């Protein structure tokens, strides 16, 4: 039996024959000029009543629109793990008409609390329905409230050429008559992509051009789980095929992420297998010329977004831009180094890498004038060097260095970094600074064999190098933000692994998750996620881990907020003999006894047979 929800007002309650006779339907078809409409469960924020057999919330958009649902509060009593019993909300995202019955395809069940639910729900077409059920026992669960809006889909069109016969594969070629930029999206965007989606995007620019991609939005899955353990991921290869080195892997939720190829081609693959697909992604691609020179005066028409009024004054001739195409390593100096720098100096040093390159800065000399070296601890109004990274499309200050203490090594979180040198005073004999820069692909990790199939991954094998050490990116300097690195340990059948952390300083507090905004280190004995080991973060005393399986993985992940100096550890593959599987003496004796009696019985039976003959 069907329930047709056809009202065109903001909402109306319809009672009648539906999935069962007690169904009611609330229909939402307008926001009355507001950006969002709102809806709630019965009696919210008080507990919803028991014995709700079927309450339908049906949202109806225009023919060129889809519905976005954002659950702002959610508390439905969870009777079992899969929400199939007791209280639940059944979600219909793929309806053709505002009608449901027992055979209507539903997308999933929701119960529990807000952290376990998807942040948004998107319809595939112009209809979306939520079906609320509650069991016979009352409880203190308060139900839900949320917002809805209607999104025009006509402007979301991928500019590439879809490959004929392919499910989801696009090419983005360029020629003398084509545009140098365009847009592309995840499947069905702005609706959610479907489970088991797989799409390929191939970009090819002209020779002497490279590809820059800016992801304005990435909403795949909630949380801060390693991309290696995620079902829904974007993998970007720095080259023309799946065999090209992986430049970056993107997962979870983020915005304004930028990648820049080293050549004129990018191969990108998107795959999903999660139970609750996310919203997806939208991005812009650009074909731009390869930079020909380094250490040039900065072109302010293409400069990074301004860092703020403290450093926005007119630039001097010491402003330089250093690109990795022409200079992988080198030095930068304060004006006049090693002679005193002039007062009122303001210099900007911009670095631009490509691919998975990170910029590493190591200060070798640092002597800036300070008005009161002994008493003053702050760098306010002092001569200083300030490093900036790019986070979510904006410049963000990492730290401020002043005085005479040589700063720790720093590393960018991506292919761009800027240093700002400012002097307020006459240097009075202070020499300034000298630093070495390098564009690195190994993230400053000096041991193990780097693997091309991950942005930052290193392998250690027991049959080649049975002992050694490994460390976090850029150790002993500050590890870079927005970074994920994996360390794979492969032993032989007769080896066990012992890891000893001699130093551990990972920004965060227990339980080291997204709620506490923590960076973390995790341990695994399988390639997949393993619940045996908890996350580690904070400043910990030295500790040891020992494991007897042939494979072990250490994963380091940092967010975009704060920094630490990371970790340093030793590893040792230890040979131990495999015990032979021999029967105990009692078992051997018992077996011999059974054989003896069996033979005796067999001889006895033969003797009786002969006598009878």
């Amino acid at each position: 039996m069907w329930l047709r929800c056809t009202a065109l007002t903001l909402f109306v309650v319809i009672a009648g024959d539906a999935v069962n006779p007690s169904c009611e339907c609330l229909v939402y078809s307008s926001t009355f000029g507001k950006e969002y409409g709102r809806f709630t469960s019965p009696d919210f924020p008080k507990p919803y009543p028991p014995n709700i057999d079927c309450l339908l919330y049906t949202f109806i958009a225009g023919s060129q629109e889809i519905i976005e649902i954002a659950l702002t509060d959610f508390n439905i009593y969870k009777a079992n793990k899969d929400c199939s019993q007791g209280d639940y909300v059944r979600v219909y995202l793929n309806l053709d008409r505002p009608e449901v019955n027992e055979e209507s395809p539903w997308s999933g069940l929701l119960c529990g609390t807000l952290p376990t639910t998807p942040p948004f729900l998107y319809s595939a077409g112009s209809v979306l329905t939520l079906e609320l059920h509650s069991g016979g026992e009352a409880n203190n669960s308060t139900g839900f409230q949320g917002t809805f809006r209607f999104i025009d889909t006509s402007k979301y069109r991928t500019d590439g050429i879809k490959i004929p016969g392919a499910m989801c594969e696009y090419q983005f070629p360029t020629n003398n008559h084509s545009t140098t930029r365009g847009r592309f999206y995840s499947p069905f965007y702005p609706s959610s992509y479907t489970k088991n989606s797989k799409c390929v995007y191939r970009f090819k620019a002209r020779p002497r051009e490279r590809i820059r991609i800016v992801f304005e939005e990435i909403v795949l899955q909630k949380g801060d789980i390693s991309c290696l353990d995620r079902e829904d991921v974007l993998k970007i290869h720095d080259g023309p095929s799946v065999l090209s080195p992986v430049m970056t892997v993107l997962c979870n939720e983020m915005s304004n992420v930028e990648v820049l190829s080293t050549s004129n081609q990018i191969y990108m693959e998107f795959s999903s297998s999660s139970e609750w697909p996310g919203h997806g992604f939208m991005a812009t691609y650009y074909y731009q010329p390869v930079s020909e020179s380094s250490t040039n005066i900065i072109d302010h028409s293409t400069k990074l977004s301004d860092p703020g009024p403290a450093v926005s004054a007119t630039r001097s001739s010491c402003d330089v831009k250093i690109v990795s195409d022409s200079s992988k390593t080198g030095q930068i100096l304060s004006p006049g180094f090693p002679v005193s720098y002039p007062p009122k100096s303001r210099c900007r040093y911009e670095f631009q890498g490509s691919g998975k390159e990170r910029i590493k800065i190591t200060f070798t000399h640092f002597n800036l004038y300070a008005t009161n070296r002994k008493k003053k601890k702050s760098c306010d109004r002092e001569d200083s060097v300030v490093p900036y990274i790019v986070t979510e499309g904006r410049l963000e200050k990492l730290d401020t260095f002043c005085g005479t203490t040589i700063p720790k090594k720093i590393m960018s979180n991506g292919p761009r970094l800027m240093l700002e040198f400012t002097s307020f005073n006459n240097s009075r004999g202070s020499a300034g600074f000298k630093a070495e820069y390098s564009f690195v692909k190994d993230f400053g990790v000096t041991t193990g064999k780097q693997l091309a199939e991950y942005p930052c991954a290193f392998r250690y094998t027991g049959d080649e190098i049975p002992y050694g050490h490994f460390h976090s990116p850029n150790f002993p300097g500050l590890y870079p933000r927005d970074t994920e690195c994996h360390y794979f340990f492969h032993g032989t059948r007769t080896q066990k692994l012992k890891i000893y952390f001699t130093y551990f300083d990972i920004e965060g507090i227990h339980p080291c998750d997204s709620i506490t905004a923590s960076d973390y280190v995790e341990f695994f004995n399988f390639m997949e996620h393993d619940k045996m080991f908890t996350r580690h973060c904070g400043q910990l005393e030295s500790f040891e881990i020992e494991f007897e399986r042939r494979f072990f993985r250490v994963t380091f992940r940092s967010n975009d907020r704060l920094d630490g100096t990371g970790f340093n550890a030793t590893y040792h593959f230890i040979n131990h003999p495999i015990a032979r599987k021999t029967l105990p003496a009692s078992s051997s004796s018992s077996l011999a006894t059974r054989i003896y009696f069996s033979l005796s019985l067999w001889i006895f039976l033969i003797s009786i047979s002969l006598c009878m003959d």
Side-chain angles (χ1 to χ4, degrees):
M1 300 180 55
W2 293 88
L3 175 64
R4 300 179 58 87
C5 298
T6 57
L8 299 179
T9 57
L10 174 61
F11 74 88
V12 64
V13 178
I14 302 175
D17 293 337
V19 176
N20 68 56
S22 61
C23 274
E24 293 182 339
C25 181
L26 284 72
V27 180
Y28 300 81
S29 59
S30 174
T31 61
F32 288 101
K34 298 181 179 179
E35 185 178 3
Y36 295 94
R38 299 183 181 277
F39 63 98
T40 66
S41 57
D43 300 330
F44 185 88
K46 296 179 179 179
Y48 53 85
N51 298 311
I52 299 176
D53 291 330
C54 176
L55 176 58
L56 300 178
Y57 294 75
T58 297
F59 303 84
I60 305 174
S63 60
Q64 296 296 316
E65 294 177 328
I66 65 166
I67 300 102
E68 175 193 82
I69 297 292
L71 294 169
T72 55
D73 283 284
F74 192 86
N75 185 4
I76 299 293
Y77 175 71
K78 188 172 186 176
N80 62 345
K81 184 177 181 180
D82 61 4
C83 305
S84 60
Q85 299 176 6
D87 303 352
Y88 59 83
V89 174
R90 182 174 287 164
V91 181
Y92 299 85
L93 301 178
N94 300 291
L95 296 174
D96 295 326
R97 296 175 295 174
E99 303 171 348
V100 294
N101 71 355
E102 296 90 339
E103 298 181 356
S104 299
W106 45 275
S107 304
L109 299 174
L110 297 177
C111 66
T113 57
L114 189 63
T116 64
T117 62
F120 297 95
L121 298 171
Y122 294 90
S123 65
S126 58
V127 180
L128 187 153
T129 295
L130 305 178
E131 180 182 346
L132 173 63
H133 285 259
S134 66
E137 296 184 6
N139 55 69
N140 292 323
S141 298
T142 55
F144 56 80
Q145 71 171 344
T147 63
F148 68 93
R149 66 170 178 154
F150 304 122
I151 302 175
D152 183 6
T153 62
S154 61
K155 58 184 178 180
Y156 298 100
R157 184 180 64 85
T158 293
D159 291 327
I161 301 171
K162 189 173 182 180
I163 304 300
M167 289 294 294
C168 184
E169 185 170 350
Y170 293 88
Q171 289 184 338
F172 301 83
T174 185
N175 54 54
N176 292 332
H177 303 289
S178 65
T179 181
T180 58
R181 61 179 294 175
R183 303 278 293 166
F184 68 99
Y185 305 91
S186 54
F188 303 108
Y189 193 92
S191 298
S192 299
Y193 52 86
T194 58
K195 183 180 178 181
N196 297 321
S197 295
K198 186 169 180 61
C199 277
V200 172
Y201 305 84
R202 302 173 184 266
F203 300 86
K204 185 175 182 180
R206 303 178 185 90
R208 301 299 301 167
E209 285 185 335
R210 60 164 45 112
I211 303 130
R212 181 165 66 97
I213 298 176
V214 179
F215 291 91
E216 291 93 344
E217 178 185 66
I218 298 175
V219 181
L220 303 185
Q221 293 169 274
K222 291 175 65 175
D224 62 346
I225 297 176
S226 159
C227 292
L228 200 60
D229 305 307
R230 275 307 199 188
E231 297 95 341
D232 302 352
V233 294
L234 262 169
K235 186 176 288 187
I236 304 174
H237 298 262
D238 196 8
S241 74
V242 70
L243 300 178
S244 302
V246 176
M247 180 171 20
T248 189
V249 177
L250 304 174
C251 65
N252 301 326
E253 300 170 289
M254 55 187 69
S255 61
N256 291 302
V257 178
E258 181 178 326
V259 296
L260 182 66
S261 66
T262 59
S263 68
N264 68 328
Q265 295 190 65
I266 279 180
Y267 180 93
M268 180 185 305
E269 50 185 338
F270 169 67
S271 59
S272 72
S273 59
S274 64
E275 289 298 323
W276 281 104
H279 187 202
F281 61 85
M282 61 176 179
T284 303
Y285 68 90
Y286 305 84
Y287 294 147
Q288 59 189 44
V290 174
S291 300
E292 297 287 349
S293 60
S294 185
T295 63
N296 291 329
I297 302 301
I298 292 175
D299 178 3
H300 291 286
S301 65
T302 60
K303 68 181 181 180
L304 296 169
S305 57
D306 199 280
V311 290
S312 61
T314 303
R315 304 294 169 189
S316 69
S317 61
C318 62
D319 289 354
V320 295
K321 184 171 184 176
I322 301 170
V323 295
S324 65
D325 294 313
S326 54
S327 177
K328 297 294 185 185
T329 61
Q331 295 180 341
I332 54 173
L333 312 170
S334 56
F337 184 89
V339 182
S340 301
Y341 52 84
K344 310 294 184 186
S345 296
R346 291 200 172 185
C347 302
R348 172 184 278 187
Y349 307 81
E350 288 189 16
F351 299 87
Q352 176 68 67
S354 63
K356 63 180 180 182
E357 288 180 336
R358 302 290 181 101
I359 299 100
K360 183 173 69 173
I361 304 293
T362 304
F363 289 92
T364 56
H365 294 81
F366 201 86
N367 185 0
L368 303 186
Y369 178 77
T371 55
N372 193 331
R373 297 176 185 267
K374 294 183 179 180
K375 294 183 179 181
K376 192 171 184 180
K377 295 182 180 180
S378 171
C379 291
D380 291 343
R381 300 297 298 176
E382 295 285 2
D383 299 354
S384 63
V385 175
V386 179
Y388 292 88
I389 59 173
V390 180
T391 299
E392 295 187 347
R394 67 181 187 276
L395 283 175
E396 183 168 330
K397 182 172 69 174
L398 276 180
D399 205 340
T400 302
F401 306 133
C402 61
T404 58
T405 302
I406 294 181
K408 291 181 178 294
K409 292 188 301 181
I410 59 175
M411 181 173 285
S412 66
N413 64 332
R416 292 200 289 175
L417 180 130
M418 186 191 78
L419 294 180
E420 183 84 21
F421 169 63
T422 305
S423 69
F424 295 95
N425 311 291
N426 191 314
S427 61
R428 300 182 184 179
S430 299
F433 70 87
K434 177 181 178 181
E436 297 176 350
Y437 69 84
S438 57
F439 294 90
V440 299
K441 295 182 179 180
D442 62 4
F443 293 78
V445 178
T446 57
T447 62
K449 179 181 179 182
Q450 188 169 11
L451 305 177
E453 57 265 37
Y454 306 97
C456 179
F458 303 86
R459 184 172 61 208
Y460 304 82
T461 54
D463 57 349
E464 294 179 358
I465 305 177
Y467 57 88
H469 75 281
F470 67 103
H471 52 80
S472 54
N474 199 44
F475 185 83
L478 297 174
Y479 54 73
R481 300 182 187 181
D482 294 313
T483 299
E484 179 173 309
C485 287
H486 308 285
Y487 307 83
F488 301 110
F489 296 87
H490 298 268
T492 65
R493 193 168 63 94
T494 61
Q495 288 178 328
K496 65 179 180 179
L497 175 66
K498 182 179 291 187
I499 294 178
Y500 184 69
F501 283 85
T502 59
Y503 180 86
F504 197 94
D505 175 27
I506 304 296
E507 174 64 34
I509 58 176
H510 192 76
C512 311
D513 57 13
S514 58
I515 296 176
T516 59
S518 298
D519 305 331
Y520 62 83
V521 172
E522 274 186 309
F523 308 108
F524 306 82
N525 58 356
F526 294 99
M527 285 296 292
E528 294 80 15
H529 198 71
D530 188 353
K531 297 297 185 182
M532 284 185 60
F533 301 98
T534 58
R535 291 181 176 181
H536 290 63
C537 65
Q539 294 181 330
L540 304 180
E541 298 291 335
S542 53
F543 62 96
E544 183 176 274
I545 292 178
E546 186 172 313
F547 205 75
E548 295 190 6
R549 293 193 180 180
R550 298 177 62 183
F551 174 80
F552 195 74
R553 168 162 67 99
V554 177
T555 290
F556 162 82
R557 184 178 176 88
S558 63
N559 57 30
D560 61 356
R561 303 195 181 182
L562 299 174
D563 318 290
T565 45
F567 66 84
N568 190 34
T570 62
Y571 69 90
H572 191 185
F573 289 99
I574 303 172
N575 288 308
H576 64 101
I578 299 177
R580 295 182 178 179
K581 294 182 179 180
T582 58
L583 290 171
S586 59
S587 298
S588 300
S589 175
S590 176
L591 179 61
T593 302
R594 289 197 300 270
I595 294 173
Y596 171 77
F597 280 112
S598 296
L599 289 173
S600 298
L601 179 61
W602 181 69
I603 293 171
F604 175 72
L605 292 174
I606 291 176
S607 300
I608 293 176
S609 177
L610 290 174
C611 291
M612 292 178 64
D613 290 342

